[in-house]
Amino acid sequence: MRLRALFLSLLLLSGCSREFIEKLYDVDYSTTNRFANNLAPLPGQFTQDTAALDRLMNSFNGQVKRYWGDNDSLVASKRQYVKYTDGYRSRAHVDFERGVVIVETVAKTEPTKHLKEAITTTLLTPDNPGGVDLYSDSAIELSGKPFLYGQVLDNEGKPIEWSWRANRFADYLIDGKMKKRSERFHQVYYVEIPMVADHANQRGYKYASIVRDASRRYGIAEDLIYAIIKTESSFNPYAVSHANAYGLMQVVPKTAGADVFKLVKNKPGIPTPEYLFDPARNIDTGTAYFYILRTRYLKDVRDPLSLHYSMISAYNGGTGGVLNTFHSSDRKRAMNDLNSLQPNQVYWALTNKHRNAEARRYLEKVTAFQKEFNQGKI
């Protein structure tokens, strides 16, 4: 999913924040450097010029609003896949939280023809984030196994992999399931396709070997990696956020990504969005950042369970946010105070006293998903 541009805000204390002011400890990362050779950034068309990004996003948003209006515009997010095609007249919207695929068109002539093409394109969109530009109306090359394979079943209860089945299902939907709604300046023709009940698990299964490899590489538990992915993106490899976070583990290139490149990979620069939309590289980078949290930024946390809670909280709200929970100005004292508490007290503090409400909820969500994973529910 080569998103050509993304959001512009750089929130240093959100999603996987790097602690620039934190003292760097001496840590030997030679055990992980051998993986760097295979993880060079992909050549891409992304620019670091925020003014250029601003222009590109304004152009994209302008095109969307031109056809859909201010009140009916959608853009991709962490748990919402949105892709415009057909000169911005048609779009696919996969709502991973609700478990529904909505395909729509505002075409004024032959709307059913445009809707059918959009349906088949959506059903056959490949399982390759690098091949889909979410910030234009560019066509999608339909090759390989579809991303929604197994997550959506046709009217016969069959998964959809080939064009003949996608076309037949599209005809079925248009003949009996098509709906119409009126917006301020246009008519919208659409269909809603329910996803299977375990659609999140269907997506998660695909990354099992990648998660296992990353877990072994960095010594981070598999259940934690799965829980982070479930919390961050609901296993949506196309996930993007307002904080310039990308992919399954919602890695921010200029913060966590930069740390991993410098401290683990021994390479200059930062990972590109293209790099982070690759599931294997994304999971490797997110897991490597946990390795940094454990062995560098939070290495002085003595109790393993307290460290576990602190790492999860820091992944979302930064190491500074964790330490600030225990003392607002003195980091050494904050660490001492943290170490004086039992793990359940550390958990309580981070879920009740952390200055950021999102970080408080985040630790609760991740630990709950870890339990689900270990009970076989993820």
Side-chain angles (χ1 to χ4, degrees), residues 201-222:
N201 289 345
Q202 292 286 337
R203 293 191 298 281
Y205 295 149
K206 296 186 293 186
Y207 309 117
S209 62
I210 300 173
V211 170
R212 189 179 307 114
D213 289 345
S215 173
R216 293 171 178 170
R217 188 175 305 147
Y218 299 111
I220 303 298
E222 287 185 45

Side-chain angles (χ1 to χ4, degrees), residues 259-292:
D259 268 2
V260 170
F261 266 28
K262 177 182 178 180
L263 303 175
V264 178
K265 306 300 180 184
N266 279 351
K267 62 169 61 177
I270 64 175
T272 64
E274 293 145 306
Y275 182 100
L276 293 174
F277 279 124
D278 178 275
R281 287 173 168 145
N282 186 281
I283 292 173
D284 177 88
T285 305
T287 307
Y289 189 68
F290 267 105
Y291 177 80
I292 293 172

